[in-house]
Amino acid sequence: MLDDLLTHIARLTRSPRHHIRMTAVCRSWRASLVDQKINFPAVCLMLLEGGNCDNYNFYSISEEIFDKLDLLELRGRRYWGSPFGWLVSHGLNCEILLFNPFSRASFPLPKNHSLIEKLILSINPEEPNSNCVVFAIYWGFLDRRYIAFAKPGDIAWRTLSYNGDDDDDGFKFLIDDAIYFKGNFYGCLNSGEIVLFEDLHGAHPKAVEFASRPPRFHGGCTCYLFALGENLCMTYRDPYDDDDDYEYKGYTIFKLDMDTKSWKRIYSLGDRSLFLGNCCTFTVAAADYPGCKPNCIYSTEESIHVEGVYIYDVEKNRDKDIGLEPFPISQRVEQILPSLSSPVWIIPYPL
């Protein structure tokens, strides 16, 4: 009877914050609502409170409201957000876990004893017949980045080899990001090249060169891959060349022609909002996600350090270098932000 009543109330709930609070009441309520989702799109900024606690705060861009969850499951773990409502986390015990902070559902992944740089989730693991793949970018021998992949239920990570590497001992070039796009998996190198991941389900998974670097790309910048409609795009931070005052002024964006493998610089994201940093790089249609600004980049990059959360308006910066602006959040969030760490973007209930 109680389960039916809670389910009925949840169906009437049109706000992520109300649903979050209901699941946080107790274990029995959480169990009753584990399969009950709401169709209310929201992009949230997830932040860990300072001090020795397990409180995580979720700031909804749409409602400009702060909600709190006690997530003991994330104690001592690093984590990366996603647009699927799931986190990928890595613990001090080297265990890697797919974890949904709202339903508390989880899927174990093989252990990884390396220093993880980024964990990337390909698709929603809850989709019917999901063939979800998780990519791990990690530091290896001689300060080189490797990439490996695994699926829930696998017993070990599989390292990708690369036919463009002078050393046959593994995937040792600097890779920054990876994405699942139109049925294939791609990665971008720190040098600007795009690689295609092949034979992931076969005996010899590898990465092959797919596209050369964009024109006038000098390397050394952190690159991000994302989908923009039917196009694969890459962006990277564009630094000032000033030894006395080194800072990032914004982002340069390129679109890749998948047939000719040629790049074209673009100056607009159209109606999309781009989210990057400690998360799977993703875009959303701003009109579908209240509070999101079209043609803007939302960033939580740790290497850009002014409280760590920024917005970059692509249109405003087209004719004038305005640069990164502080993320427009409520005064309460601004006050608590300096005591938080590892902010990530996550969509609790994706469309």
Side-chain angles (χ1 to χ4, degrees), residues 16-17 19-24 29-31 33-37 42-46 56-59 67-69 71 73 82 84-87 99-105 346-350:
R17 63 186 295 258
H19 193 75
I20 289 173
R21 288 180 174 180
M22 289 177 70
T23 58
W29 280 41
R30 185 159 63 244
L33 300 172
V34 67
D35 296 323
Q36 180 64 42
K37 291 187 177 181
V43 179
C44 288
L45 184 66
M46 176 181 170
Y56 290 80
N57 296 272
F58 294 82
Y59 176 80
D67 278 295
K68 183 180 296 186
L69 280 179
L71 300 176
E73 297 92 336
S82 80
F84 313 118
W86 288 76
L87 301 169
F99 175 65
N100 190 313
F102 310 102
S103 68
R104 299 305 210 281
I346 185 170
I347 300 180
Y349 308 100

mmCIF file of all heavy atoms in Angstrom, residues 16-17 19-24 29-31 33-37 42-46 56-59 67-69 71 73 82 84-87 99-105 346-350:
data_model
loop_
_atom_site.group_PDB
_atom_site.id
_atom_site.type_symbol
_atom_site.label_atom_id
_atom_site.label_comp_id
_atom_site.label_asym_id
_atom_site.label_seq_id
_atom_site.Cartn_x
_atom_site.Cartn_y
_atom_site.Cartn_z
ATOM 1 N N PRO A 16 13.203 17.403 -10.056
ATOM 2 C CA PRO A 16 14.254 16.498 -9.593
ATOM 3 C C PRO A 16 14.524 16.624 -8.103
ATOM 4 O O PRO A 16 14.812 15.635 -7.441
ATOM 5 C CB PRO A 16 15.476 16.938 -10.416
ATOM 6 C CG PRO A 16 14.919 17.603 -11.617
ATOM 7 C CD PRO A 16 13.654 18.260 -11.151
ATOM 8 N N ARG A 17 14.448 17.824 -7.568
ATOM 9 C CA ARG A 17 14.777 18.016 -6.159
ATOM 10 C C ARG A 17 13.795 17.275 -5.251
ATOM 11 O O ARG A 17 14.176 16.726 -4.219
ATOM 12 C CB ARG A 17 14.834 19.497 -5.809
ATOM 13 C CG ARG A 17 13.533 20.259 -5.954
ATOM 14 C CD ARG A 17 13.752 21.752 -5.718
ATOM 15 N NE ARG A 17 14.165 22.008 -4.361
ATOM 16 C CZ ARG A 17 13.346 22.484 -3.406
ATOM 17 N NH1 ARG A 17 12.076 22.727 -3.695
ATOM 18 N NH2 ARG A 17 13.793 22.718 -2.205
ATOM 19 N N HIS A 19 12.120 14.544 -6.088
ATOM 20 C CA HIS A 19 12.399 13.122 -6.251
ATOM 21 C C HIS A 19 13.651 12.727 -5.471
ATOM 22 O O HIS A 19 13.692 11.676 -4.823
ATOM 23 C CB HIS A 19 12.579 12.798 -7.733
ATOM 24 C CG HIS A 19 12.570 11.335 -8.035
ATOM 25 N ND1 HIS A 19 11.421 10.593 -8.040
ATOM 26 C CD2 HIS A 19 13.583 10.475 -8.331
ATOM 27 C CE1 HIS A 19 11.705 9.333 -8.341
ATOM 28 N NE2 HIS A 19 13.018 9.230 -8.517
ATOM 29 N N ILE A 20 14.680 13.571 -5.523
ATOM 30 C CA ILE A 20 15.915 13.313 -4.768
ATOM 31 C C ILE A 20 15.607 13.230 -3.280
ATOM 32 O O ILE A 20 16.083 12.333 -2.569
ATOM 33 C CB ILE A 20 16.954 14.414 -5.050
ATOM 34 C CG1 ILE A 20 17.497 14.280 -6.477
ATOM 35 C CG2 ILE A 20 18.109 14.353 -4.049
ATOM 36 C CD1 ILE A 20 18.393 15.428 -6.897
ATOM 37 N N ARG A 21 14.796 14.140 -2.785
ATOM 38 C CA ARG A 21 14.483 14.154 -1.358
ATOM 39 C C ARG A 21 13.679 12.925 -0.946
ATOM 40 O O ARG A 21 13.866 12.379 0.145
ATOM 41 C CB ARG A 21 13.721 15.435 -1.014
ATOM 42 C CG ARG A 21 14.610 16.677 -1.045
ATOM 43 C CD ARG A 21 13.844 17.926 -0.695
ATOM 44 N NE ARG A 21 14.744 19.073 -0.583
ATOM 45 C CZ ARG A 21 14.332 20.299 -0.284
ATOM 46 N NH1 ARG A 21 13.044 20.542 -0.084
ATOM 47 N NH2 ARG A 21 15.202 21.298 -0.203
ATOM 48 N N MET A 22 12.790 12.471 -1.823
ATOM 49 C CA MET A 22 12.005 11.285 -1.502
ATOM 50 C C MET A 22 12.896 10.059 -1.390
ATOM 51 O O MET A 22 12.740 9.231 -0.485
ATOM 52 C CB MET A 22 10.919 11.069 -2.559
ATOM 53 C CG MET A 22 9.790 12.092 -2.518
ATOM 54 S SD MET A 22 8.575 11.845 -3.838
ATOM 55 C CE MET A 22 7.790 10.328 -3.291
ATOM 56 N N THR A 23 13.840 9.906 -2.303
ATOM 57 C CA THR A 23 14.719 8.736 -2.273
ATOM 58 C C THR A 23 15.720 8.809 -1.124
ATOM 59 O O THR A 23 16.314 7.793 -0.751
ATOM 60 C CB THR A 23 15.492 8.591 -3.593
ATOM 61 O OG1 THR A 23 16.262 9.776 -3.829
ATOM 62 C CG2 THR A 23 14.542 8.370 -4.758
ATOM 63 N N ALA A 24 15.912 10.004 -0.564
ATOM 64 C CA ALA A 24 16.881 10.164 0.525
ATOM 65 C C ALA A 24 16.273 9.957 1.906
ATOM 66 O O ALA A 24 16.985 9.946 2.907
ATOM 67 C CB ALA A 24 17.516 11.564 0.452
ATOM 68 N N TRP A 29 11.942 3.703 1.263
ATOM 69 C CA TRP A 29 11.435 4.637 0.257
ATOM 70 C C TRP A 29 12.281 4.555 -1.004
ATOM 71 O O TRP A 29 11.755 4.574 -2.112
ATOM 72 C CB TRP A 29 11.447 6.060 0.825
ATOM 73 C CG TRP A 29 10.294 6.372 1.726
ATOM 74 C CD1 TRP A 29 9.740 5.560 2.667
ATOM 75 C CD2 TRP A 29 9.556 7.590 1.758
ATOM 76 N NE1 TRP A 29 8.709 6.182 3.308
ATOM 77 C CE2 TRP A 29 8.573 7.444 2.770
ATOM 78 C CE3 TRP A 29 9.625 8.786 1.059
ATOM 79 C CZ2 TRP A 29 7.672 8.450 3.072
ATOM 80 C CZ3 TRP A 29 8.727 9.816 1.363
ATOM 81 C CH2 TRP A 29 7.764 9.634 2.360
ATOM 82 N N ARG A 30 13.589 4.499 -0.823
ATOM 83 C CA ARG A 30 14.480 4.426 -1.983
ATOM 84 C C ARG A 30 14.207 3.158 -2.791
ATOM 85 O O ARG A 30 14.179 3.177 -4.012
ATOM 86 C CB ARG A 30 15.931 4.477 -1.533
ATOM 87 C CG ARG A 30 16.925 4.528 -2.663
ATOM 88 C CD ARG A 30 18.264 5.077 -2.210
ATOM 89 N NE ARG A 30 18.904 4.230 -1.210
ATOM 90 C CZ ARG A 30 19.163 4.604 0.040
ATOM 91 N NH1 ARG A 30 18.821 5.805 0.455
ATOM 92 N NH2 ARG A 30 19.770 3.793 0.881
ATOM 93 N N ALA A 31 13.988 2.039 -2.095
ATOM 94 C CA ALA A 31 13.708 0.781 -2.777
ATOM 95 C C ALA A 31 12.374 0.846 -3.519
ATOM 96 O O ALA A 31 12.231 0.296 -4.622
ATOM 97 C CB ALA A 31 13.690 -0.371 -1.770
ATOM 98 N N LEU A 33 11.059 3.420 -4.889
ATOM 99 C CA LEU A 33 11.116 4.357 -6.011
ATOM 100 C C LEU A 33 12.254 4.076 -6.977
ATOM 101 O O LEU A 33 12.522 4.877 -7.865
ATOM 102 C CB LEU A 33 11.248 5.793 -5.476
ATOM 103 C CG LEU A 33 10.102 6.275 -4.576
ATOM 104 C CD1 LEU A 33 10.437 7.624 -3.966
ATOM 105 C CD2 LEU A 33 8.815 6.367 -5.382
ATOM 106 N N VAL A 34 12.927 2.927 -6.804
ATOM 107 C CA VAL A 34 14.117 2.663 -7.604
ATOM 108 C C VAL A 34 13.813 2.619 -9.095
ATOM 109 O O VAL A 34 14.636 3.016 -9.927
ATOM 110 C CB VAL A 34 14.798 1.347 -7.139
ATOM 111 C CG1 VAL A 34 13.910 0.140 -7.436
ATOM 112 C CG2 VAL A 34 16.157 1.191 -7.809
ATOM 113 N N ASP A 35 12.613 2.142 -9.471
ATOM 114 C CA ASP A 35 12.247 2.060 -10.887
ATOM 115 C C ASP A 35 11.377 3.219 -11.342
ATOM 116 O O ASP A 35 10.937 3.263 -12.486
ATOM 117 C CB ASP A 35 11.501 0.744 -11.163
ATOM 118 C CG ASP A 35 12.380 -0.469 -10.934
ATOM 119 O OD1 ASP A 35 13.576 -0.385 -11.264
ATOM 120 O OD2 ASP A 35 11.862 -1.478 -10.424
ATOM 121 N N GLN A 36 11.114 4.154 -10.442
ATOM 122 C CA GLN A 36 10.240 5.280 -10.764
ATOM 123 C C GLN A 36 11.078 6.505 -11.118
ATOM 124 O O GLN A 36 11.757 7.078 -10.277
ATOM 125 C CB GLN A 36 9.329 5.610 -9.574
ATOM 126 C CG GLN A 36 8.381 6.775 -9.826
ATOM 127 C CD GLN A 36 7.382 6.467 -10.921
ATOM 128 O OE1 GLN A 36 6.840 5.384 -10.977
ATOM 129 N NE2 GLN A 36 7.130 7.429 -11.781
ATOM 130 N N LYS A 37 11.030 6.886 -12.383
ATOM 131 C CA LYS A 37 11.778 8.059 -12.820
ATOM 132 C C LYS A 37 10.816 9.156 -13.247
ATOM 133 O O LYS A 37 9.658 8.900 -13.571
ATOM 134 C CB LYS A 37 12.701 7.701 -13.989
ATOM 135 C CG LYS A 37 13.853 6.787 -13.588
ATOM 136 C CD LYS A 37 14.822 6.618 -14.733
ATOM 137 C CE LYS A 37 16.002 5.775 -14.306
ATOM 138 N NZ LYS A 37 16.991 5.606 -15.399
ATOM 139 N N ALA A 42 17.031 18.157 -16.416
ATOM 140 C CA ALA A 42 17.804 19.098 -15.618
ATOM 141 C C ALA A 42 19.276 18.748 -15.716
ATOM 142 O O ALA A 42 19.646 17.581 -15.692
ATOM 143 C CB ALA A 42 17.360 19.078 -14.166
ATOM 144 N N VAL A 43 20.108 19.759 -15.847
ATOM 145 C CA VAL A 43 21.548 19.571 -15.741
ATOM 146 C C VAL A 43 21.953 20.039 -14.355
ATOM 147 O O VAL A 43 21.602 21.137 -13.929
ATOM 148 C CB VAL A 43 22.308 20.367 -16.815
ATOM 149 C CG1 VAL A 43 23.811 20.167 -16.661
ATOM 150 C CG2 VAL A 43 21.859 19.936 -18.217
ATOM 151 N N CYS A 44 22.674 19.195 -13.634
ATOM 152 C CA CYS A 44 23.066 19.514 -12.264
ATOM 153 C C CYS A 44 24.574 19.600 -12.123
ATOM 154 O O CYS A 44 25.309 18.885 -12.806
ATOM 155 C CB CYS A 44 22.539 18.461 -11.284
ATOM 156 S SG CYS A 44 20.753 18.510 -11.014
ATOM 157 N N LEU A 45 24.993 20.463 -11.246
ATOM 158 C CA LEU A 45 26.387 20.541 -10.841
ATOM 159 C C LEU A 45 26.504 19.820 -9.510
ATOM 160 O O LEU A 45 25.899 20.224 -8.521
ATOM 161 C CB LEU A 45 26.828 22.002 -10.712
ATOM 162 C CG LEU A 45 28.302 22.245 -10.391
ATOM 163 C CD1 LEU A 45 29.187 21.788 -11.537
ATOM 164 C CD2 LEU A 45 28.539 23.732 -10.112
ATOM 165 N N MET A 46 27.270 18.742 -9.496
ATOM 166 C CA MET A 46 27.423 17.934 -8.291
ATOM 167 C C MET A 46 28.699 18.338 -7.572
ATOM 168 O O MET A 46 29.774 18.371 -8.162
ATOM 169 C CB MET A 46 27.469 16.456 -8.667
ATOM 170 C CG MET A 46 27.721 15.511 -7.507
ATOM 171 S SD MET A 46 27.790 13.781 -8.067
ATOM 172 C CE MET A 46 28.381 12.994 -6.563
ATOM 173 N N TYR A 56 26.865 15.372 -0.494
ATOM 174 C CA TYR A 56 27.048 15.859 -1.853
ATOM 175 C C TYR A 56 25.880 16.762 -2.205
ATOM 176 O O TYR A 56 24.725 16.453 -1.917
ATOM 177 C CB TYR A 56 27.137 14.694 -2.839
ATOM 178 C CG TYR A 56 28.431 13.917 -2.690
ATOM 179 C CD1 TYR A 56 28.581 12.984 -1.680
ATOM 180 C CD2 TYR A 56 29.496 14.141 -3.555
ATOM 181 C CE1 TYR A 56 29.767 12.279 -1.530
ATOM 182 C CE2 TYR A 56 30.683 13.440 -3.417
ATOM 183 C CZ TYR A 56 30.811 12.514 -2.403
ATOM 184 O OH TYR A 56 31.991 11.832 -2.257
ATOM 185 N N ASN A 57 26.201 17.884 -2.813
ATOM 186 C CA ASN A 57 25.193 18.881 -3.149
ATOM 187 C C ASN A 57 24.963 18.894 -4.653
ATOM 188 O O ASN A 57 25.907 18.830 -5.440
ATOM 189 C CB ASN A 57 25.659 20.264 -2.685
ATOM 190 C CG ASN A 57 25.804 20.335 -1.178
ATOM 191 O OD1 ASN A 57 24.860 20.638 -0.473
ATOM 192 N ND2 ASN A 57 27.006 20.045 -0.685
ATOM 193 N N PHE A 58 23.708 18.977 -5.035
ATOM 194 C CA PHE A 58 23.318 19.007 -6.432
ATOM 195 C C PHE A 58 22.639 20.341 -6.716
ATOM 196 O O PHE A 58 21.568 20.632 -6.173
ATOM 197 C CB PHE A 58 22.388 17.841 -6.754
ATOM 198 C CG PHE A 58 23.052 16.499 -6.642
ATOM 199 C CD1 PHE A 58 23.180 15.879 -5.409
ATOM 200 C CD2 PHE A 58 23.567 15.867 -7.763
ATOM 201 C CE1 PHE A 58 23.800 14.646 -5.290
ATOM 202 C CE2 PHE A 58 24.194 14.639 -7.661
ATOM 203 C CZ PHE A 58 24.316 14.019 -6.426
ATOM 204 N N TYR A 59 23.306 21.126 -7.562
ATOM 205 C CA TYR A 59 22.755 22.431 -7.915
ATOM 206 C C TYR A 59 22.093 22.314 -9.284
ATOM 207 O O TYR A 59 22.759 22.059 -10.289
ATOM 208 C CB TYR A 59 23.849 23.485 -7.935
ATOM 209 C CG TYR A 59 23.358 24.843 -8.389
ATOM 210 C CD1 TYR A 59 22.682 25.680 -7.504
ATOM 211 C CD2 TYR A 59 23.540 25.274 -9.698
ATOM 212 C CE1 TYR A 59 22.212 26.914 -7.916
ATOM 213 C CE2 TYR A 59 23.076 26.507 -10.115
ATOM 214 C CZ TYR A 59 22.404 27.320 -9.231
ATOM 215 O OH TYR A 59 21.935 28.542 -9.636
ATOM 216 N N ASP A 67 20.278 20.867 -3.570
ATOM 217 C CA ASP A 67 19.783 19.713 -2.832
ATOM 218 C C ASP A 67 20.957 18.868 -2.374
ATOM 219 O O ASP A 67 22.011 18.847 -3.013
ATOM 220 C CB ASP A 67 18.844 18.875 -3.696
ATOM 221 C CG ASP A 67 17.438 19.435 -3.703
ATOM 222 O OD1 ASP A 67 16.800 19.435 -2.642
ATOM 223 O OD2 ASP A 67 16.998 19.875 -4.774
ATOM 224 N N LYS A 68 20.741 18.149 -1.281
ATOM 225 C CA LYS A 68 21.844 17.436 -0.644
ATOM 226 C C LYS A 68 21.517 15.955 -0.530
ATOM 227 O O LYS A 68 20.392 15.568 -0.217
ATOM 228 C CB LYS A 68 22.107 18.021 0.740
ATOM 229 C CG LYS A 68 23.283 17.408 1.482
ATOM 230 C CD LYS A 68 23.470 18.056 2.852
ATOM 231 C CE LYS A 68 23.836 19.515 2.722
ATOM 232 N NZ LYS A 68 24.156 20.134 4.034
ATOM 233 N N LEU A 69 22.526 15.111 -0.812
ATOM 234 C CA LEU A 69 22.425 13.671 -0.623
ATOM 235 C C LEU A 69 23.617 13.181 0.182
ATOM 236 O O LEU A 69 24.740 13.649 -0.019
ATOM 237 C CB LEU A 69 22.384 12.933 -1.959
ATOM 238 C CG LEU A 69 21.059 12.876 -2.730
ATOM 239 C CD1 LEU A 69 21.256 12.106 -4.030
ATOM 240 C CD2 LEU A 69 19.965 12.233 -1.904
ATOM 241 N N LEU A 71 26.031 10.367 0.408
ATOM 242 C CA LEU A 71 26.480 9.278 -0.469
ATOM 243 C C LEU A 71 27.714 8.611 0.123
ATOM 244 O O LEU A 71 28.851 8.880 -0.278
ATOM 245 C CB LEU A 71 26.773 9.820 -1.873
ATOM 246 C CG LEU A 71 25.588 10.472 -2.599
ATOM 247 C CD1 LEU A 71 26.029 11.060 -3.925
ATOM 248 C CD2 LEU A 71 24.464 9.457 -2.802
ATOM 249 N N GLU A 73 28.615 5.747 -0.439
ATOM 250 C CA GLU A 73 29.227 4.895 -1.472
ATOM 251 C C GLU A 73 30.393 5.569 -2.187
ATOM 252 O O GLU A 73 31.224 4.898 -2.815
ATOM 253 C CB GLU A 73 28.177 4.487 -2.518
ATOM 254 C CG GLU A 73 27.039 3.650 -1.970
ATOM 255 C CD GLU A 73 25.857 4.492 -1.521
ATOM 256 O OE1 GLU A 73 26.053 5.687 -1.199
ATOM 257 O OE2 GLU A 73 24.729 3.968 -1.503
ATOM 258 N N SER A 82 28.205 12.180 -16.016
ATOM 259 C CA SER A 82 27.751 11.764 -17.340
ATOM 260 C C SER A 82 26.380 12.375 -17.612
ATOM 261 O O SER A 82 25.698 12.823 -16.689
ATOM 262 C CB SER A 82 27.662 10.238 -17.420
ATOM 263 O OG SER A 82 26.464 9.766 -16.828
ATOM 264 N N PHE A 84 23.900 10.601 -18.421
ATOM 265 C CA PHE A 84 23.004 9.452 -18.317
ATOM 266 C C PHE A 84 22.481 9.215 -16.901
ATOM 267 O O PHE A 84 21.807 8.218 -16.646
ATOM 268 C CB PHE A 84 23.726 8.185 -18.792
ATOM 269 C CG PHE A 84 24.458 8.348 -20.085
ATOM 270 C CD1 PHE A 84 25.832 8.189 -20.156
ATOM 271 C CD2 PHE A 84 23.774 8.689 -21.247
ATOM 272 C CE1 PHE A 84 26.520 8.338 -21.337
ATOM 273 C CE2 PHE A 84 24.458 8.847 -22.443
ATOM 274 C CZ PHE A 84 25.830 8.683 -22.499
ATOM 275 N N GLY A 85 22.820 10.101 -15.966
ATOM 276 C CA GLY A 85 22.400 9.916 -14.589
ATOM 277 C C GLY A 85 23.336 9.045 -13.782
ATOM 278 O O GLY A 85 23.073 8.764 -12.614
ATOM 279 N N TRP A 86 24.442 8.624 -14.385
ATOM 280 C CA TRP A 86 25.393 7.725 -13.735
ATOM 281 C C TRP A 86 26.738 8.403 -13.544
ATOM 282 O O TRP A 86 27.127 9.289 -14.318
ATOM 283 C CB TRP A 86 25.601 6.459 -14.577
ATOM 284 C CG TRP A 86 24.426 5.548 -14.562
ATOM 285 C CD1 TRP A 86 23.250 5.729 -15.255
ATOM 286 C CD2 TRP A 86 24.270 4.334 -13.835
ATOM 287 N NE1 TRP A 86 22.382 4.699 -14.991
ATOM 288 C CE2 TRP A 86 22.989 3.817 -14.128
ATOM 289 C CE3 TRP A 86 25.098 3.623 -12.963
ATOM 290 C CZ2 TRP A 86 22.519 2.633 -13.581
ATOM 291 C CZ3 TRP A 86 24.638 2.433 -12.416
ATOM 292 C CH2 TRP A 86 23.355 1.946 -12.726
ATOM 293 N N LEU A 87 27.447 7.969 -12.497
ATOM 294 C CA LEU A 87 28.831 8.353 -12.262
ATOM 295 C C LEU A 87 29.724 7.151 -12.526
ATOM 296 O O LEU A 87 29.295 6.008 -12.399
ATOM 297 C CB LEU A 87 29.036 8.805 -10.808
ATOM 298 C CG LEU A 87 28.208 9.977 -10.299
ATOM 299 C CD1 LEU A 87 28.368 10.097 -8.778
ATOM 300 C CD2 LEU A 87 28.611 11.276 -10.977
ATOM 301 N N PHE A 99 27.943 3.948 -10.854
ATOM 302 C CA PHE A 99 27.078 4.208 -9.703
ATOM 303 C C PHE A 99 26.070 5.291 -10.040
ATOM 304 O O PHE A 99 26.428 6.354 -10.576
ATOM 305 C CB PHE A 99 27.928 4.633 -8.504
ATOM 306 C CG PHE A 99 27.130 5.044 -7.296
ATOM 307 C CD1 PHE A 99 26.342 4.119 -6.618
ATOM 308 C CD2 PHE A 99 27.160 6.356 -6.836
ATOM 309 C CE1 PHE A 99 25.604 4.496 -5.504
ATOM 310 C CE2 PHE A 99 26.431 6.741 -5.721
ATOM 311 C CZ PHE A 99 25.650 5.803 -5.050
ATOM 312 N N ASN A 100 24.801 5.013 -9.749
ATOM 313 C CA ASN A 100 23.741 5.998 -9.916
ATOM 314 C C ASN A 100 23.431 6.602 -8.552
ATOM 315 O O ASN A 100 22.893 5.910 -7.676
ATOM 316 C CB ASN A 100 22.488 5.340 -10.504
ATOM 317 C CG ASN A 100 21.449 6.356 -10.923
ATOM 318 O OD1 ASN A 100 21.135 7.272 -10.179
ATOM 319 N ND2 ASN A 100 20.916 6.194 -12.120
ATOM 320 N N PRO A 101 23.772 7.870 -8.321
ATOM 321 C CA PRO A 101 23.596 8.458 -6.982
ATOM 322 C C PRO A 101 22.143 8.675 -6.593
ATOM 323 O O PRO A 101 21.860 8.925 -5.422
ATOM 324 C CB PRO A 101 24.335 9.795 -7.093
ATOM 325 C CG PRO A 101 24.289 10.133 -8.548
ATOM 326 C CD PRO A 101 24.367 8.815 -9.277
ATOM 327 N N PHE A 102 21.219 8.541 -7.541
ATOM 328 C CA PHE A 102 19.812 8.800 -7.242
ATOM 329 C C PHE A 102 19.052 7.507 -6.940
ATOM 330 O O PHE A 102 18.213 7.464 -6.052
ATOM 331 C CB PHE A 102 19.169 9.562 -8.395
ATOM 332 C CG PHE A 102 19.980 10.762 -8.801
ATOM 333 C CD1 PHE A 102 20.790 10.728 -9.919
ATOM 334 C CD2 PHE A 102 19.973 11.904 -8.017
ATOM 335 C CE1 PHE A 102 21.572 11.817 -10.269
ATOM 336 C CE2 PHE A 102 20.760 13.000 -8.356
ATOM 337 C CZ PHE A 102 21.557 12.958 -9.485
ATOM 338 N N SER A 103 19.364 6.433 -7.658
ATOM 339 C CA SER A 103 18.723 5.153 -7.393
ATOM 340 C C SER A 103 19.581 4.242 -6.520
ATOM 341 O O SER A 103 19.096 3.242 -6.005
ATOM 342 C CB SER A 103 18.426 4.435 -8.712
ATOM 343 O OG SER A 103 19.632 4.031 -9.351
ATOM 344 N N ARG A 104 20.883 4.575 -6.381
ATOM 345 C CA ARG A 104 21.888 3.790 -5.652
ATOM 346 C C ARG A 104 22.232 2.482 -6.374
ATOM 347 O O ARG A 104 22.906 1.616 -5.824
ATOM 348 C CB ARG A 104 21.452 3.455 -4.225
ATOM 349 C CG ARG A 104 21.202 4.650 -3.298
ATOM 350 C CD ARG A 104 22.390 5.582 -3.212
ATOM 351 N NE ARG A 104 22.512 6.270 -1.938
ATOM 352 C CZ ARG A 104 21.812 7.338 -1.576
ATOM 353 N NH1 ARG A 104 20.907 7.831 -2.373
ATOM 354 N NH2 ARG A 104 22.025 7.910 -0.396
ATOM 355 N N ALA A 105 21.765 2.320 -7.601
ATOM 356 C CA ALA A 105 22.141 1.138 -8.378
ATOM 357 C C ALA A 105 23.617 1.224 -8.737
ATOM 358 O O ALA A 105 24.182 2.320 -8.870
ATOM 359 C CB ALA A 105 21.290 1.050 -9.640
ATOM 360 N N ILE A 346 26.237 16.435 -14.306
ATOM 361 C CA ILE A 346 25.486 15.197 -14.431
ATOM 362 C C ILE A 346 24.035 15.546 -14.748
ATOM 363 O O ILE A 346 23.514 16.573 -14.292
ATOM 364 C CB ILE A 346 25.568 14.360 -13.130
ATOM 365 C CG1 ILE A 346 24.893 13.003 -13.311
ATOM 366 C CG2 ILE A 346 25.017 15.116 -11.936
ATOM 367 C CD1 ILE A 346 25.134 12.037 -12.158
ATOM 368 N N ILE A 347 23.385 14.720 -15.567
ATOM 369 C CA ILE A 347 21.951 14.872 -15.841
ATOM 370 C C ILE A 347 21.246 13.740 -15.101
ATOM 371 O O ILE A 347 21.353 12.576 -15.495
ATOM 372 C CB ILE A 347 21.643 14.806 -17.347
ATOM 373 C CG1 ILE A 347 22.379 15.934 -18.090
ATOM 374 C CG2 ILE A 347 20.145 14.923 -17.588
ATOM 375 C CD1 ILE A 347 22.127 15.949 -19.573
ATOM 376 N N PRO A 348 20.539 14.050 -14.006
ATOM 377 C CA PRO A 348 19.939 12.983 -13.191
ATOM 378 C C PRO A 348 18.918 12.144 -13.953
ATOM 379 O O PRO A 348 18.893 10.930 -13.814
ATOM 380 C CB PRO A 348 19.261 13.756 -12.059
ATOM 381 C CG PRO A 348 19.967 15.074 -12.009
ATOM 382 C CD PRO A 348 20.344 15.380 -13.416
ATOM 383 N N TYR A 349 18.081 12.791 -14.757
ATOM 384 C CA TYR A 349 17.008 12.094 -15.460
ATOM 385 C C TYR A 349 17.048 12.509 -16.932
ATOM 386 O O TYR A 349 16.334 13.411 -17.348
ATOM 387 C CB TYR A 349 15.657 12.418 -14.827
ATOM 388 C CG TYR A 349 15.643 12.193 -13.342
ATOM 389 C CD1 TYR A 349 15.784 13.255 -12.449
ATOM 390 C CD2 TYR A 349 15.541 10.909 -12.825
ATOM 391 C CE1 TYR A 349 15.809 13.034 -11.084
ATOM 392 C CE2 TYR A 349 15.568 10.688 -11.445
ATOM 393 C CZ TYR A 349 15.696 11.749 -10.586
ATOM 394 O OH TYR A 349 15.725 11.536 -9.241
ATOM 395 N N PRO A 350 17.868 11.865 -17.725
ATOM 396 C CA PRO A 350 18.019 12.280 -19.126
ATOM 397 C C PRO A 350 16.752 12.037 -19.928
ATOM 398 O O PRO A 350 15.951 11.152 -19.604
ATOM 399 C CB PRO A 350 19.177 11.402 -19.631
ATOM 400 C CG PRO A 350 19.166 10.204 -18.732
ATOM 401 C CD PRO A 350 18.725 10.708 -17.384
#
